[in-house]
Amino acid sequence: NEPMSLLYRAAIEAINEELAPYMGENALQQVQEQQIDTSPEATADRIVSFATQFFSVYQQQNSSMNFDSQLSGFMDVIGGAIDQGFKEATDILSGLKVLEGDIKTGVDETYSLVQQGLQSFRDSFTTEQE
């Protein structure tokens, strides 16, 4: 059982190290202590909410563009950032050899829900403009 304990500690340390720049020190323990909902739905909601909150800043920085160009440009920027984040996360999980089964299913579902959330964000402006 000692090797499994060692593996667990190594995995937790590696994950914490990778998450530290984004979520602070000991991110996994903080999530557990705060009882944050880590379901694909809740995780996707947090990602979409965080990413889309910067649209008004993007608009201000690109005030010479028309609204459609602002929206399209913003969606390209955050879409690319989210894709990169998911790639990095899946690379880490693959490196730890845990990207399989329920974990892989959860990551895939979260990514799909994020894409749906981003499309809903875009659509909310399209509907408003009509």
Side-chain angles (χ1 to χ4, degrees):
N1 202 17
E2 189 70 28
M4 293 309 291
S5 177
L6 181 61
L7 174 65
Y8 175 76
R9 280 185 293 188
I12 294 299
E13 288 175 15
I15 293 169
N16 275 329
E17 185 177 316
E18 293 296 328
L19 293 177
Y22 310 103
M23 299 179 67
E25 296 296 316
N26 299 314
L28 288 179
Q29 289 84 347
Q30 290 177 25
V31 167
Q32 289 175 337
E33 289 170 9
Q34 295 173 8
Q35 297 180 343
I36 294 174
D37 184 352
T38 57
S39 68
E41 296 82 6
T43 302
D45 285 346
R46 282 193 301 278
I47 292 169
V48 171
S49 293
F50 179 77
T52 57
Q53 73 180 336
F54 296 104
F55 182 52
S56 62
V57 173
Y58 184 87
Q59 284 182 291
Q60 291 171 358
Q61 293 176 344
N62 296 282
S63 59
S64 63
M65 297 167 69
N66 69 35
F67 181 82
D68 289 340
S69 296
Q70 289 173 338
L71 182 59
S72 181
F74 178 73
M75 298 306 293
D76 288 346
V77 168
I78 64 169
I82 288 170
D83 286 348
Q84 179 181 344
F86 269 88
K87 182 188 179 321
E88 290 174 6
T90 57
D91 288 350
I92 292 166
L93 295 171
S94 291
L96 294 171
K97 299 188 183 346
V98 297
L99 188 60
E100 53 192 40
D102 290 344
I103 293 174
K104 179 162 181 21
T105 301
V107 169
D108 291 345
E109 184 178 350
T110 302
Y111 183 79
S112 177
L113 291 167
V114 167
Q115 296 307 310
Q116 290 173 24
L118 293 176
Q119 187 60 51
S120 293
F121 177 80
R122 179 187 290 264
D123 292 347
S124 73
F125 290 104
T126 305
T127 305
E128 289 176 13
Q129 300 296 313
E130 293 176 358

